[in-house]
Amino acid sequence: MDLSTINPAVLLASLMVASTPILLAAIGELVVEKSGVLNLGVEGMMIVGAICGFAVSVETGSPVLGFVAAAAGSALLSMTFGILTQFFLSNQVATGLALTLFGLGLSALMGQGYVGIKPPAMGDLNLGPLGDIPFVGRVLFQHDVMVYVSLALVAAVWAFLKYTRAGLILRAVGESHDAAHALGYKVVVVRLAAIAFGGACAGLGGAYLSLIRVPQWTEGMTAGAGWIALAIVVFSSWRAWGVLIGAYLFGGVTVLQLNLQAAGLDVPVEYLSMSPYLITILVLVIMSSGRGRAALNAPASLGRSFHASH
Amino acid sequence: MQRRTILKGGAAAAATLALGRPGFAGSHLPVKAGFIYVGPIGDGGWTYEHNEGRLAVEEHFGDQVETVYQESVPEGADAERALTQMALGGADIIFTTSFGYMDPTINVAKKFPDVKFEHATGYKRADNVATYSARFYEGRAVQGTIAGMMTETNKIGYIGSFPIPEVIRGINSAYIHAKKVNPDVEFSVVWAFTWFDPAKEADAATALIEQGCDVILQHTDSTAPQAAAASAGDVITFGQASDMAEYKPLPRVSSIIDNWAPYYIERVQAVIDGSWEPTDTWGGIDSGMVKIGEITDAVPEEVKAKALEIRDSIADGSYHPFTGPLNKQDGSAWLAEGETATDETLLGMNFYVEGLSGTIPQ
């Protein structure tokens, strides 16, 4: 048993990188669910974002354009979900699942010519002297720009939901769409905007996988990250900072157990890998009991279709 | 999570599916061959090679055979559903291409006695279930030799998928041959508990490189560890299941290629002839089921010569990768001087050989 071979600074730094894709996807889904829409298509939107971002950055040589394209592509894809659920009032669960299947297939088709290609590298952000601070510098200040974008997004979403009027309207729509409608708010427009935002975030998360974390295009490369993002939203009980903690916990456990194994420590891998899911199940159990639902902060109209009858 | 079943063979195939004709072997054409894959066909590794085998079947038989496949089928209960669906769809022979499909294959085979099943890498057979696998450990012997001679830090990283005999055999074989050419070599094994998860595989490779490993061997299916090694620099890797040629000449210095095409063609032919039997096939370098991919120029000449010597001596049968004296990890005797391991021991291998550290998760 020798823990000294693991460099904690490197471990924490790789934890942040490993968590960024699910953090991006989860913060987007948080906004979607706060508006009362349950979009289970995160996995499909992520993988479409992964290939859109990969293809565009390979063709243009610019990772930044790749991320922009990933966000746009996934937002566009999420609009199919938006139109189906908001205008045609289709079942959100079924439509979300269909979106995942569709996204996986579409991405495989789009990615045909991109297997085995190396994307242009996105360098780490140079923060000057900050990066030279011992320990803290390695952990916090030697990352690519997307890690900071993801953190800024969490802060922005938190502030938006808590302090802005638009955020209040979004929450009102999620809590009671009938009341919000009666007050004159455009429920469908608010929800479509939220869905598009969720799609864009999922796309960024997917592109982070294919452009920075792996980096390559492989069919089905998200391998369930979208489902983890959905679990994180529940885990956070619909709070922005909770999403951050959840994402770092889920990502951290994976990185930690791999590093412990590589250092030759005898760790019960299965239990460590299982732990975030066990916590999520626990949260779901508490949530499904009547009083728990309100206590856990779940939007009251989550997953319900809205139809203005007057 | 992907549920695409693609039918080749146009309208005839669609009509066949719609009619849901029960499968019966040897008396009708075209024969329908089904394939169940654990990953996407574009994984660049394990599933990709199985699909190459399927395409070879199509090309070889032309109109006589039509093939169907389903990719990314999870191991476990869901596999039973996929298998049942394929059998109901009129498949005459179904290849299930991952270890975790073993029990689902046996269960579904009971319900469809007229359909032939072929399960890869398993050990359970029935009247209509055959098994087949390749002696990947022979290729691992070649890899271990190269790895042992090439490492400068004397630390070799190994990304394992699941602690099953097939994977453990590979670790043991690679270790024995690395140790033979480099007594100071140490192995770090990381269990990923997945066959295919590029992000996790990349993380595992990065963690190993961080620990000072300058050779990464993988028993997972994607090319992600190759990309991680390429960005770290000064690390060599080996293609797994497929050539992974896009990472030549570095980090990928050689590879083990699974060549399923001859076997698939032979077995489908047996169904057409009505001569199919529930056999157990375990092909190696000699039969061509295991191929050693090109050893690149990044490997010094004498290392390459040594590796090819091992390959050829395995191919002509003069050398067995598990030849005594060998002890188990706990120090107890396993093989005496000159004794070679039996297939039975190898198929159920659940122990490390002496010198490997760490324990196998149970």
Side-chain angles (χ1 to χ4, degrees):
Chain A
M1 284 279 176
D2 182 16
L3 272 171
S4 62
T5 53
I6 298 180
N7 180 347
V10 175
L11 181 69
L12 288 171
S14 51
L15 178 156
M16 290 178 74
V17 171
S19 309
T20 298
I22 46 178
L23 175 60
L24 283 165
I27 197 70
E29 179 67 12
L30 173 78
V31 172
V32 178
E33 294 193 13
K34 269 291 186 190
S35 79
V37 178
L38 183 63
N39 185 354
L40 295 182
V42 182
E43 176 87 1
M45 298 187 298
M46 276 185 93
I47 191 115
V48 166
I51 185 57
C52 283
F54 191 86
V56 168
S57 69
V58 165
E59 300 301 339
T60 63
S62 158
V64 176
L65 276 181
F67 277 105
V68 172
S74 295
L76 190 70
L77 181 71
S78 73
M79 277 302 99
T80 58
F81 172 86
I83 290 165
L84 284 169
T85 56
Q86 300 310 307
F87 293 119
F88 300 115
L89 305 181
S90 66
N91 180 296
Q92 292 181 7
V93 172
T95 314
L97 291 173
L99 190 68
T100 288
L101 300 181
F102 177 64
L104 285 167
L106 181 69
S107 65
L109 183 68
M110 289 166 68
Q112 298 271 319
Y114 291 98
V115 176
I117 296 177
K118 268 188 216 131
M122 182 145 180
D124 290 347
L125 200 61
N126 187 1
L127 291 167
L130 282 178
D132 298 332
I133 305 171
F135 192 76
V136 180
R138 178 71 191 87
V139 176
L140 292 179
F141 301 116
Q142 289 184 22
H143 291 293
D144 52 88
V145 66
M146 285 309 290
V147 169
Y148 306 110
V149 168
S150 70
L151 292 172
L153 258 177
V154 174
V157 165
W158 169 74
F160 170 78
L161 290 175
K162 195 169 168 71
Y163 294 115
T164 67
R165 185 169 176 81
L168 185 65
I169 294 170
L170 182 109
R171 281 189 288 144
V173 166
E175 292 300 335
S176 169
H177 45 222
D178 293 322
H181 175 69
L183 285 169
Y185 296 125
K186 304 248 181 293
V187 173
V188 171
V189 173
V190 170
R191 286 189 169 167
L192 281 176
I195 293 167
F197 177 77
C201 285
L204 289 179
Y208 191 83
L209 272 178
S210 64
L211 289 177
I212 295 175
R213 187 159 162 227
V214 175
Q216 55 170 262
W217 164 251
T218 310
E219 242 182 72
M221 68 180 300
T222 48
W227 300 107
I228 294 177
L230 280 162
I232 289 169
V233 177
V234 176
F235 172 85
S236 74
S237 68
W238 293 271
R239 289 179 178 94
W241 295 112
V243 166
L244 181 69
I245 294 167
Y248 278 22
L249 186 70
F250 275 61
V253 166
T254 313
V255 172
L256 180 69
Q257 58 106 340
L258 290 173
N259 275 278
L260 289 176
Q261 285 194 66
L265 295 179
D266 229 343
V267 286
V269 186
E270 308 88 329
Y271 300 109
L272 264 178
S273 308
M274 221 190 280
S275 52
Y277 300 96
L278 287 179
I279 299 171
T280 306
I281 291 171
L282 201 67
V283 172
L284 282 168
V285 168
I286 299 172
M287 195 182 84
S288 60
S289 69
R291 267 199 355 234
R293 189 177 166 101
L296 271 166
N297 202 22
S301 295
L302 184 61
R304 295 189 192 143
S305 289
F306 170 72
H307 178 61
S309 50
H310 52 87
Chain B
M1 249 142 271
Q2 221 154 334
R3 296 284 178 280
R4 282 187 298 150
T5 307
I6 294 183
L7 292 171
K8 298 275 165 114
T16 314
L17 187 75
L19 290 170
R21 178 199 59 191
F24 54 99
S27 55
H28 70 282
L29 289 172
V31 160
K32 195 168 185 176
F35 294 79
I36 302 276
Y37 300 140
V38 71
I41 57 171
D43 70 351
W46 175 260
T47 297
Y48 173 80
E49 287 299 326
H50 281 287
N51 195 52
E52 290 294 299
R54 181 186 68 84
L55 294 173
V57 167
E58 283 199 336
E59 193 178 339
H60 181 83
F61 291 103
D63 292 343
Q64 282 186 295
V65 172
E66 63 184 58
T67 68
V68 288
Y69 70 88
Q70 191 162 3
E71 55 186 342
S72 300
V73 176
E75 299 179 328
D78 210 31
E80 257 180 66
R81 187 193 52 74
L83 270 164
T84 307
Q85 201 177 19
M86 203 170 262
L88 285 173
D92 301 299
I93 179 166
I94 299 178
F95 296 91
T96 56
T97 63
S98 187
F99 180 78
Y101 298 146
M102 182 158 66
D103 291 327
T105 305
I106 295 289
N107 294 344
V108 176
K110 273 186 205 138
K111 286 184 259 175
F112 297 91
D114 293 334
V115 181
K116 316 297 182 203
F117 291 85
E118 297 257 356
H119 177 237
T121 69
Y123 52 81
K124 290 187 184 169
R125 280 172 293 281
D127 286 345
N128 59 336
V129 182
T131 52
Y132 64 103
S133 185
R135 296 176 188 268
F136 306 114
Y137 66 87
E138 297 185 347
R140 293 285 176 194
V142 179
Q143 286 188 352
T145 305
I146 299 174
M149 292 175 91
M150 295 278 287
T151 179
E152 277 164 19
T153 61
N154 292 327
K155 287 177 107 174
I156 293 172
Y158 203 114
I159 306 171
S161 45
F162 294 95
I164 58 173
E166 182 201 335
V167 179
I168 295 167
R169 274 198 303 275
I171 296 171
N172 283 331
S173 175
Y175 178 74
I176 290 167
H177 294 87
K179 186 90 176 170
K180 219 172 244 180
V181 293
N182 180 353
D184 297 326
V185 84
E186 277 176 45
F187 268 44
S188 296
V189 181
V190 167
W191 297 100
F193 283 93
T194 178
W195 288 113
F196 178 81
D197 183 343
K200 200 171 185 184
E201 293 170 47
D203 284 347
T206 309
L208 286 165
I209 293 165
E210 189 59 43
Q211 288 296 320
C213 297
D214 63 350
V215 179
I216 303 289
L217 279 72
Q218 63 174 106
H219 204 134
T220 48
D221 300 347
S222 90
T223 48
Q226 315 275 333
S231 65
D234 289 334
V235 176
I236 64 166
T237 59
F238 297 87
Q240 157 66 10
S242 185
D243 199 27
M244 301 189 176
E246 59 269 28
Y247 289 94
K248 276 200 281 198
L250 273 174
R252 172 229 170 271
V253 294
S254 182
S255 63
I256 297 177
I257 306 170
D258 310 346
N259 180 23
W260 304 108
Y263 180 77
Y264 286 162
I265 290 171
E266 178 194 323
R267 298 303 282 176
V268 172
Q269 185 66 51
V271 170
I272 294 172
D273 299 343
S275 63
W276 189 94
E277 292 286 334
T279 51
D280 176 30
T281 306
W282 207 12
I285 292 178
D286 57 345
S287 69
M289 201 181 258
V290 175
K291 284 204 289 191
I292 304 298
E294 185 206 329
I295 300 173
T296 65
D297 293 339
V299 178
E301 209 49 53
E302 76 268 18
V303 178
K304 188 171 176 177
K306 178 85 183 156
L308 292 178
E309 181 194 318
I310 296 264
R311 183 194 69 182
D312 295 339
S313 65
I314 293 172
D316 66 24
S318 61
Y319 175 68
H320 189 291
F322 290 104
T323 305
L326 282 174
N327 290 341
K328 294 186 182 178
Q329 190 185 28
D330 58 12
S332 62
W334 176 34
L335 296 173
E337 177 83 43
E339 192 187 351
T340 55
T342 60
D343 280 0
E344 201 185 351
T345 330
L346 290 179
L347 282 168
M349 190 176 250
N350 59 357
F351 58 86
Y352 281 153
V353 292
E354 194 173 43
L356 277 165
S357 56
T359 51
I360 302 171
Q362 294 301 328

